[in-house]
Amino acid sequence: MTASLHRLGAGSAAGLYYTNDGQREARPDRRDDYYAKDGDGMWWSSGGTVVRHGAPIAASSFRDLCAGYHPGTGKPLVRGAGPGHWAGQDLTLTPGKSVSVLWMAGTPEQRAAIEAAHRAAVERALTFVAAEVLVTVRTGAGGVERHRPSDLIVGRFDHYTTREGDPNIHTHCVFINVAGAPKHSGSGRYKSQTHLTIEVEQLYAYQIAVGAAYRAALAENLRERFGLRYREAGRGQWEVAGPPEALLAAFSKRSEQILDYAGAGATSAQREVAALATRRGKHELPTGAELEARWREELAACALDPWDAARHPEDTRAAARDAEREPPFDPPEIPGDGPVARAASALFRHESVVTRKDLLQRALELAGVQGLGVEVVEAELADLERDGTLLPLAAAEMVPGASACWTSPGIATCEAAMLRAADRPLDRRWIAPEAVTTALARDGRLSAEQAEAVRHAAGPDGVSLLQAGAGTGKTTTAAVLVAAAHDSGMRVIGLAPSWVAADELGRSTGIPTQAIARWRHDRARATRSDAESQTNPAALDRDTLVLVDEAGMVSSRDLEAVLSAAQAAGAKVVLIGDRRQLASVGGASALRAVAEVVGRSAVLGEVRRQTVAWQRAASVVMARGDAEAGLRAYAAEGQVELVAGAEAAQARVIATWTEQRVSYGDDVLIVTRRNADAATLNARARAALRAEGRLGPDLIAPPARDREDRLVPLALALGDTLRFGESLPHLGLRNGTRARIEALVTDSDGGARLHLALEDGRVIEAAWDELRRVPRFGRRPAHPKVVHAYAGTSYAAQGRTCSAAVVYLGAGTDAREVYVGLTRHRHAARVVVERDRLDALCRQRQADPRMPANDTMVLERLFREARGYREKANVVDYAADRVAFVRDGVLGLPERVAPGIDVGRAVRAARALREAAAWLGVGHMIVPAFRLIDAFGRRLGRAPAPAVRRLVAQLARHLGRPDPERGREPGIER
């Protein structure tokens, strides 16, 4: 059940894919009568400039439009019409298999009703595409100006079977590369053009949302016609509740065929390549009465009536499972049970600013499962905006009256409070300068850069920043800062977003540490006397220094809680982190927002972790934002290996891991992206250890919850290394703690007692059932959340240091994960890349997708992924007046700026200048860049030259230099 996109070929020949014989089906750049004979094509038009909406498609007219010619006059409609003209884009809309099975098993009346519901849903999806302006036209030099087309022309072809003869309702919607030019959009060479070529970049970006709109409309229609109910089918999709998976699988031979070829976990690009490699023409399959007879035989073999199962579905247990889950510390951001409210609350758990695409997509997915349509989502969204539950931050560029993104009043208030609490320049002296000098003299390990960082962090600002790249010696620096604070009579506590990072900070500095979530929990439940007690780690006072490690991963809500509590108590806070490593799970780029308010920070740029010079250099460039250059360095040194096939690639990972353990001991990490890959690699690692005689046979396999909270059997053997996925206070275990099984004793009841050696040196003995959280609120006890610890995700590896590392890139990656994966080690790091995924992505962009890509192309595709870097948006980024937002929490939409002033580029340039000044150690740039832009942005938009002159004059006076404007001849502009 999906919306898939396929780019057509060029000229009228592309129309042959739809209108000519089936012998050309094997050619990937052609189409056949598969599209014209299964169901007559119909035109869909939003403006009726060339074709009539709802009219049947004539083959000759379709081929003419594919070549860019008017089907009536034969004259070119667009520039470049002819054999080389790109024909258009195919959007295929397909329901879940259960809908097609019900259609196949239905009476003629039921079939007609399902077909009508499908056609209506396709119509609604195309209307959604037009309303959201997902297909545009371009004008201007280089096509830089985008416009809403006055007429979209789409050829619709309804089909009902797969290439293996299974029932499969679907519609090919061919967006012709000819669209009506809007009035007053033409200029220069486009002035005389009545039609323009299309741009489908937004259609690709909204691909999943378009599919969700189609499915929501279909679900609503089928519910109204037949009273059907639905169940979630993964990836935001649904199936009709009732028909079992075994029945659906019996009529999914084509899907099984593609899955067998591509393998489990294949990407969409790999499945597309597999579909091309395994497809055959429909002329080889039975049709008509013969095909109907085959369906009846296959249905009889299943011994189940799909319609009876759909009318009497079994009750799902999803609600019961949800009721057993412990409620989150922070309640849902948006109250209500509507699809938009639920979607917004889910998104706000990871983002402070929700985009239109993400909110519509998630809300439509939820609406589909509930049997609600697109109109319900649109109406609820309008209501939430109207009553202020969702605050619009920016207007959609191409959709009149629509918003491009939203936040909530609670998030906006929280972020403003966080920034106010961070704005404490020159507050007072907490740490005596003499104590800093003594601590630096006592520890001779620090470089000049680290010593300067200690002096900055010990300064009079209430909130100080220490930007420390991976491997730059931040813990050593923090230890000296702690010593200076202790010498000044201060109490020092440490906080971090995870227990792993908190324990690492505690070990390196000797201070009490906590995960921020636990600190917030303790503080919220403490009595007033407890909160003021010096023995309570949640307590803060005027003589407290709070070190927050891995601050780049701290959410806005958590950081606001820390900074506000410190401000109220008069405590000092030092934030230690790196924005370019993994982002906060909880949403927003809180460290970036605070850094812009604080304005100054100490920077550790000299890498100390890696022992090899070129690896240190690679870490430096990755810390400065160029993960691609770092990955290229490892490739140039022969440390990046391409292996075809997931099985072979994972086997190579384990072989490399084994080789590194021979050279560097057991302190070797396997780092990957997906939890599923980590689980597979853990199983392979255990097999390798068992072959070496270092791991005993599996003694028991008790039920446990994995990283995705699914219940799975966990095989346990003597010598196994485990990782706990949640804190167990009754045993003194924390989320992320690792332990080795030293002994395991089973009893007659099937239980077991484990003797565990923890990584902090402690030894505990506990029954398996004791390794689970003590339930609260009357809930049933859950199974232990424990996994094997030989391989883990980049989030599990964040903050850890090891002798060597093996990075497995089996899924798409980005700059953050490359940076983290290649900076955990001291001595060596190897990268193993699953080649087939990247090869499929390369083939998608080739004229013939059947031709494999060479290694150079595959590596370049990998390097392109390593460029991907996204910082989560903050609410303050959208404030019209940032100073007012920080001061009062007032959030207004930004004013439109006069043409010619690219304020976005100016803001990015100002931020880059501030970061560069920080890296260079320039300490005089104390005015945050955004305040400069706020002060002059409007004047720059209205009168650029005078505003620039005044700005230059003010800066010159501030720096004590003569005004460069004096003495200039009048009338000369620079």
Side-chain angles (χ1 to χ4, degrees):
M1 187 192 302
T2 186
S4 59
L5 286 168
H6 302 280
R7 183 181 175 91
L8 272 64
S12 60
L16 300 178
Y17 190 96
Y18 297 82
T19 58
N20 273 19
D21 59 32
Q23 297 299 321
R24 299 185 178 179
E25 178 59 33
R27 295 188 58 182
D29 59 337
R30 299 289 179 90
R31 306 244 177 196
D32 64 6
D33 61 348
Y34 159 67
Y35 291 87
K37 290 186 178 178
D38 273 4
D40 294 333
M42 303 290 290
W43 286 116
W44 186 94
S45 172
S46 62
T49 59
V50 178
V51 300
R52 181 168 53 87
H53 181 80
I57 294 177
S60 59
S61 297
F62 183 78
R63 289 195 296 267
D64 286 342
L65 281 169
C66 284
Y69 295 116
H70 194 292
T73 65
K75 294 182 178 180
L77 282 169
V78 293
R79 296 173 62 89
H85 172 77
W86 168 50
Q89 189 76 37
D90 183 348
L91 169 70
T92 305
L93 297 171
T94 311
K97 178 57 69 173
S98 55
V99 175
S100 294
V101 169
L102 288 175
W103 172 83
M104 175 268 300
T107 63
E109 293 77 13
Q110 289 170 325
R111 283 192 177 187
I114 290 177
E115 291 169 13
H118 167 71
R119 285 193 293 270
V122 171
E123 177 80 18
R124 189 63 185 84
L126 292 176
T127 303
F128 178 84
V129 170
E132 294 295 319
V133 199
L134 305 184
V135 178
T136 60
V137 293
R138 290 180 179 268
T139 61
V144 296
E145 300 173 5
R146 295 191 304 150
H147 307 277
R148 174 195 289 265
S150 62
D151 184 19
L152 280 178
I153 303 171
V154 181
R156 292 179 42 173
F157 299 88
D158 297 333
H159 302 149
Y160 302 93
T161 60
T162 69
R163 295 190 176 277
E164 292 300 317
D166 287 325
N168 184 47
I169 300 175
H170 59 286
T171 295
H172 294 265
C173 304
V174 180
F175 287 81
I176 299 296
N177 188 22
V178 172
K183 293 181 179 180
H184 311 300
S185 65
S187 63
R189 60 178 179 172
Y190 298 98
K191 186 175 297 184
S192 61
Q193 297 292 310
T194 59
H195 289 77
L196 300 169
T197 56
I198 64 173
E199 170 59 54
V200 294
E201 179 183 357
Q202 280 293 93
L203 185 60
Y204 272 93
Y206 272 73
Q207 178 178 349
I208 300 176
V210 173
Y214 159 75
R215 294 191 299 271
L218 179 64
E220 180 183 44
N221 209 319
L222 293 177
R223 177 181 59 81
E224 292 174 350
R225 291 172 185 266
F226 301 110
L228 299 179
R229 294 163 56 187
Y230 309 100
R231 60 176 177 84
E232 294 183 359
R235 297 186 177 182
Q237 303 182 39
W238 56 260
E239 293 284 2
V240 175
E245 287 291 343
L247 175 65
L248 305 186
F251 293 95
S252 302
K253 290 183 282 295
R254 180 65 177 145
S255 297
E256 291 297 323
Q257 192 180 66
I258 294 173
L259 181 64
D260 289 342
Y261 187 94
T267 65
S268 59
Q270 287 174 289
R271 291 194 296 270
E272 184 175 337
V273 170
L276 286 172
T278 59
R279 72 192 310 180
R280 57 174 175 169
K282 284 198 167 183
H283 63 279
E284 303 176 26
L285 298 172
T287 58
E290 186 180 357
L291 183 59
E292 293 280 358
R294 195 187 87 176
W295 286 348
R296 286 194 295 271
E297 292 176 4
E298 292 176 344
L299 189 59
C302 295
L304 180 68
D305 181 2
W307 281 95
D308 183 64
R311 291 189 183 99
H312 305 91
E314 295 181 3
D315 292 334
T316 61
R317 303 296 178 186
R321 289 196 302 270
D322 290 341
E324 291 176 4
R325 291 177 181 169
E326 193 168 307
F329 187 79
D330 295 314
E333 193 63 40
I334 306 297
D337 294 326
V340 178
R342 291 172 57 202
S345 293
L347 293 170
F348 279 137
R349 292 201 177 279
H350 304 286
E351 302 281 351
S352 289
V353 176
V354 171
T355 65
R356 182 175 186 84
K357 176 178 73 70
D358 292 339
L359 183 58
L360 286 177
Q361 175 187 319
R362 184 62 181 139
L364 288 167
E365 289 172 348
L366 293 172
V369 177
Q370 295 176 265
L372 304 176
V374 180
E375 287 74 14
V376 173
V377 171
E378 293 175 341
E380 185 188 359
L381 179 56
D383 290 341
L384 292 176
E385 266 197 320
R386 191 179 304 110
D387 63 20
T389 304
L390 286 177
L391 297 179
L393 296 177
E397 182 181 0
M398 304 290 288
V399 186
S403 300
C405 52
W406 300 267
T407 190
S408 74
I411 290 175
T413 301
C414 173
E415 188 170 309
M418 176 188 73
L419 298 179
R420 285 195 300 274
D423 195 10
R424 300 168 59 192
L426 305 177
D427 209 349
R428 68 181 181 91
R429 278 285 180 186
W430 284 267
I431 303 175
E434 299 79 10
V436 174
T437 302
T438 301
L440 290 173
R442 203 162 46 223
D443 194 320
R445 297 175 297 168
L446 267 62
S447 66
E449 179 186 64
Q450 291 173 306
E452 183 59 32
V454 172
R455 295 188 187 96
H456 171 81
D461 294 342
V463 177
S464 299
L465 268 65
L466 175 55
Q467 297 188 50
T472 54
K474 66 174 182 179
T475 53
T476 305
T477 305
V480 176
L481 177 63
V482 168
H486 284 159
D487 290 346
S488 299
M490 298 187 68
R491 183 173 66 102
V492 186
I493 66 170
L495 299 174
S498 67
W499 277 113
V500 171
D503 289 342
E504 183 67 25
L505 179 64
R507 281 192 293 268
S508 60
T509 60
I511 62 175
T513 58
Q514 278 188 306
I516 296 179
R518 181 67 191 185
W519 178 84
R520 287 185 63 193
H521 181 276
D522 291 345
R523 189 171 182 83
R525 284 160 176 75
T527 64
R528 180 175 177 82
S529 58
D530 289 336
E532 294 175 350
S533 172
Q534 290 288 331
T535 60
N536 181 10
L540 304 178
D541 58 26
R542 286 177 54 82
D543 295 323
T544 302
L545 169 64
V546 182
L547 295 184
V548 181
D549 196 14
E550 301 294 351
M553 296 179 65
V554 180
S555 69
S556 294
R557 287 201 179 277
D558 284 347
L559 196 54
E560 185 274 330
V562 174
L563 295 182
S564 294
Q567 183 186 42
K572 180 178 174 62
V573 179
V574 176
L575 303 177
I576 307 172
D578 182 4
R579 285 164 42 196
R580 300 196 181 277
Q581 294 190 56
L582 296 178
S584 159
V585 174
S589 300
L591 183 61
R592 172 170 64 83
V594 169
E596 291 173 353
V597 167
V598 173
R600 293 197 302 173
S601 62
V603 179
L604 295 181
E606 183 181 347
V607 174
R608 296 169 169 271
R609 178 178 294 163
Q610 281 77 46
T611 59
V612 181
W614 70 265
Q615 293 177 2
R616 289 198 301 273
S619 296
V620 168
V621 298
M622 286 190 284
R624 295 181 180 179
D626 196 347
E628 178 190 359
L631 184 58
R632 284 183 182 273
Y634 279 84
E637 294 292 334
Q639 304 304 302
V640 177
E641 189 173 354
L642 300 174
V643 181
E647 290 284 329
Q650 291 171 357
R652 183 57 190 153
V653 168
I654 299 303
T656 304
W657 177 67
T658 302
E659 295 167 5
Q660 289 191 334
R661 286 188 296 111
V662 172
S663 301
Y664 304 109
D666 290 339
D667 188 23
V668 180
L669 283 179
I670 301 176
V671 183
T672 185
R673 178 170 195 170
R674 298 182 298 190
N675 287 320
D677 290 336
T680 302
L681 291 170
N682 274 320
R684 288 177 174 271
R686 295 180 77 247
L689 291 173
R690 185 167 288 123
E692 296 172 11
R694 303 181 58 183
L695 189 68
D698 293 339
L699 301 177
I700 57 172
R705 289 179 293 142
D706 64 9
R707 288 179 172 87
E708 296 179 347
D709 219 32
R710 297 174 304 187
L711 194 62
V712 296
L714 182 69
L716 299 179
L718 292 179
D720 254 330
T721 302
L722 307 177
R723 182 181 185 274
F724 293 91
E726 58 190 1
S727 296
L728 305 175
H730 62 286
L731 294 176
L733 298 177
R734 295 171 175 173
N735 185 0
T737 298
R738 286 169 167 78
R740 188 174 185 275
I741 300 178
E742 300 287 348
L744 192 157
V745 179
T746 59
D747 54 35
S748 57
D749 296 331
R753 292 193 66 81
L754 282 70
H755 188 86
L756 301 173
L758 307 181
E759 59 183 342
D760 61 6
R762 293 183 295 135
V763 175
I764 65 170
E765 184 175 333
W768 176 254
D769 287 342
E770 295 176 20
L771 300 179
R772 58 188 179 187
R773 292 186 67 177
V774 177
R776 294 185 294 172
F777 310 111
R779 286 177 169 79
R780 294 184 299 176
H783 291 281
K785 190 168 188 177
V786 183
V787 296
H788 295 116
Y790 308 104
T793 64
S794 53
Y795 272 93
Q798 172 77 50
R800 300 188 69 89
T801 301
C802 59
S803 295
V806 185
V807 180
Y808 173 54
L809 299 181
T813 188
D814 59 22
R816 292 182 183 273
E817 292 189 338
V818 168
Y819 178 27
V820 170
L822 292 179
T823 53
R824 301 302 94 203
H825 65 285
R826 287 188 291 268
H827 305 294
R830 298 286 298 278
V831 182
V832 178
V833 183
E834 198 282 298
R835 190 185 190 283
D836 289 352
R837 179 186 67 84
L838 295 165
D839 172 72
L841 289 173
C842 293
R843 292 192 193 197
Q844 278 187 317
R845 289 156 178 81
Q846 295 178 170
D848 187 350
R850 295 171 300 176
M851 296 296 294
N854 57 42
D855 285 351
T856 300
M857 296 168 62
V858 169
L859 280 174
E860 287 300 321
R861 181 70 195 187
L862 176 65
F863 296 147
R864 178 181 173 182
E865 288 186 350
R867 296 175 207 157
Y869 177 78
R870 171 185 174 265
E871 278 197 311
K872 294 184 177 182
N874 297 310
V875 178
V876 70
D877 297 338
Y878 294 87
D881 186 338
R882 297 189 180 198
V883 177
F885 173 72
V886 173
R887 183 183 62 243
D888 306 321
V890 176
L891 183 64
L893 291 180
E895 296 181 3
R896 289 191 177 275
V897 179
I901 301 298
D902 193 338
V903 175
R905 286 182 178 271
V907 171
R908 290 193 293 272
R911 289 175 180 164
L913 176 62
R914 180 183 55 76
E915 292 183 2
W919 277 103
L920 293 171
V922 176
H924 294 89
M925 194 173 179
I926 62 173
V927 180
F930 78 81
R931 291 182 177 171
L932 192 66
I933 296 299
D934 285 336
F936 284 86
R938 297 176 187 174
R939 281 176 277 175
L940 284 171
R942 295 168 184 163
V948 170
R949 284 197 293 269
R950 285 195 296 272
L951 174 58
V952 170
Q954 288 186 24
L955 290 176
R957 286 195 298 272
H958 177 73
L959 297 174
R961 297 180 181 179
D963 186 348
E965 296 293 319
R966 290 183 179 176
R968 283 180 48 203
E969 296 182 11
I972 298 177
E973 291 290 346
R974 293 179 180 176

Short mmCIF file of all heavy atoms in Angstrom, two decimals, residues 949 952-957 961-968 974:
data_model
loop_
_atom_site.label_atom_id
_atom_site.label_comp_id
_atom_site.label_asym_id
_atom_site.label_seq_id
_atom_site.Cartn_x
_atom_site.Cartn_y
_atom_site.Cartn_z
N ARG A 949 25.79 51.53 5.80
CA ARG A 949 26.75 52.58 6.20
C ARG A 949 26.69 52.83 7.71
O ARG A 949 27.71 52.99 8.37
CB ARG A 949 26.46 53.85 5.41
CG ARG A 949 26.95 53.80 3.96
CD ARG A 949 27.02 55.20 3.36
NE ARG A 949 25.70 55.79 3.20
CZ ARG A 949 24.97 55.66 2.09
NH1 ARG A 949 25.43 54.96 1.07
NH2 ARG A 949 23.79 56.22 2.00
N VAL A 952 28.36 49.89 9.54
CA VAL A 952 29.82 49.95 9.45
C VAL A 952 30.37 51.04 10.38
O VAL A 952 31.38 50.86 11.05
CB VAL A 952 30.25 50.21 7.99
CG1 VAL A 952 31.74 50.52 7.90
CG2 VAL A 952 29.92 48.98 7.13
N ALA A 953 29.68 52.18 10.43
CA ALA A 953 30.14 53.26 11.29
C ALA A 953 30.10 52.86 12.76
O ALA A 953 31.04 53.15 13.52
CB ALA A 953 29.28 54.50 11.05
N GLN A 954 29.04 52.18 13.18
CA GLN A 954 28.94 51.76 14.57
C GLN A 954 30.03 50.75 14.92
O GLN A 954 30.64 50.81 15.99
CB GLN A 954 27.56 51.17 14.84
CG GLN A 954 26.45 52.20 14.87
CD GLN A 954 25.12 51.59 15.29
OE1 GLN A 954 25.09 50.57 15.97
NE2 GLN A 954 24.02 52.24 14.90
N LEU A 955 30.27 49.79 14.02
CA LEU A 955 31.32 48.81 14.27
C LEU A 955 32.69 49.48 14.34
O LEU A 955 33.54 49.12 15.16
CB LEU A 955 31.30 47.74 13.18
CG LEU A 955 30.10 46.78 13.20
CD1 LEU A 955 30.17 45.84 12.00
CD2 LEU A 955 30.08 45.97 14.48
N ALA A 956 32.93 50.47 13.45
CA ALA A 956 34.22 51.17 13.47
C ALA A 956 34.41 51.90 14.79
O ALA A 956 35.51 51.86 15.38
CB ALA A 956 34.29 52.14 12.29
N ARG A 957 33.38 52.57 15.28
CA ARG A 957 33.50 53.27 16.56
C ARG A 957 33.74 52.29 17.69
O ARG A 957 34.54 52.55 18.60
CB ARG A 957 32.24 54.08 16.83
CG ARG A 957 32.12 55.35 15.97
CD ARG A 957 31.07 56.30 16.54
NE ARG A 957 29.75 55.69 16.54
CZ ARG A 957 28.91 55.76 15.49
NH1 ARG A 957 29.28 56.38 14.38
NH2 ARG A 957 27.73 55.21 15.57
N ARG A 961 38.26 52.57 15.47
CA ARG A 961 38.87 52.86 14.17
C ARG A 961 38.11 53.98 13.48
O ARG A 961 36.94 54.23 13.78
CB ARG A 961 38.88 51.61 13.30
CG ARG A 961 39.70 50.48 13.89
CD ARG A 961 39.69 49.26 13.00
NE ARG A 961 40.45 48.17 13.57
CZ ARG A 961 40.59 46.98 13.00
NH1 ARG A 961 40.00 46.73 11.84
NH2 ARG A 961 41.31 46.05 13.58
N PRO A 962 38.77 54.70 12.56
CA PRO A 962 38.09 55.81 11.87
C PRO A 962 36.96 55.28 10.99
O PRO A 962 37.02 54.18 10.46
CB PRO A 962 39.21 56.44 11.04
CG PRO A 962 40.22 55.36 10.87
CD PRO A 962 40.18 54.55 12.14
N ASP A 963 35.95 56.13 10.81
CA ASP A 963 34.80 55.78 9.97
C ASP A 963 35.25 55.73 8.51
O ASP A 963 35.70 56.74 7.96
CB ASP A 963 33.71 56.82 10.14
CG ASP A 963 32.43 56.43 9.41
OD1 ASP A 963 32.48 55.48 8.61
OD2 ASP A 963 31.40 57.09 9.64
N PRO A 964 35.17 54.58 7.84
CA PRO A 964 35.64 54.49 6.45
C PRO A 964 34.79 55.30 5.49
O PRO A 964 35.19 55.53 4.35
CB PRO A 964 35.55 53.00 6.15
CG PRO A 964 34.51 52.47 7.08
CD PRO A 964 34.64 53.30 8.33
N GLU A 965 33.57 55.73 5.93
CA GLU A 965 32.72 56.49 5.04
C GLU A 965 33.14 57.96 4.94
O GLU A 965 32.76 58.66 4.01
CB GLU A 965 31.26 56.43 5.54
CG GLU A 965 30.67 55.03 5.50
CD GLU A 965 30.51 54.52 4.08
OE1 GLU A 965 30.10 55.31 3.21
OE2 GLU A 965 30.83 53.35 3.84
N ARG A 966 33.89 58.46 5.90
CA ARG A 966 34.29 59.86 5.87
C ARG A 966 35.29 60.11 4.75
O ARG A 966 36.20 59.32 4.51
CB ARG A 966 34.92 60.26 7.21
CG ARG A 966 33.90 60.31 8.34
CD ARG A 966 34.54 60.77 9.62
NE ARG A 966 33.55 60.83 10.71
CZ ARG A 966 33.86 61.13 11.96
NH1 ARG A 966 35.12 61.42 12.28
NH2 ARG A 966 32.92 61.17 12.88
N GLY A 967 35.11 61.20 4.10
CA GLY A 967 36.05 61.57 3.03
C GLY A 967 35.69 61.01 1.69
O GLY A 967 36.37 61.30 0.71
N ARG A 968 34.61 60.23 1.61
CA ARG A 968 34.21 59.69 0.32
C ARG A 968 33.52 60.76 -0.50
O ARG A 968 32.83 61.63 0.02
CB ARG A 968 33.22 58.52 0.50
CG ARG A 968 33.88 57.23 0.91
CD ARG A 968 32.82 56.15 1.06
NE ARG A 968 31.94 56.15 -0.08
CZ ARG A 968 30.71 55.66 -0.05
NH1 ARG A 968 30.21 55.21 1.06
NH2 ARG A 968 29.98 55.65 -1.15
N ARG A 974 29.69 51.89 -3.00
CA ARG A 974 30.64 50.78 -3.08
C ARG A 974 29.91 49.47 -3.22
O ARG A 974 28.85 49.32 -2.65
CB ARG A 974 31.50 50.76 -1.82
CG ARG A 974 32.41 51.97 -1.72
CD ARG A 974 33.24 51.91 -0.45
NE ARG A 974 34.09 53.06 -0.35
CZ ARG A 974 34.87 53.31 0.70
NH1 ARG A 974 34.87 52.50 1.72
NH2 ARG A 974 35.64 54.37 0.72
#
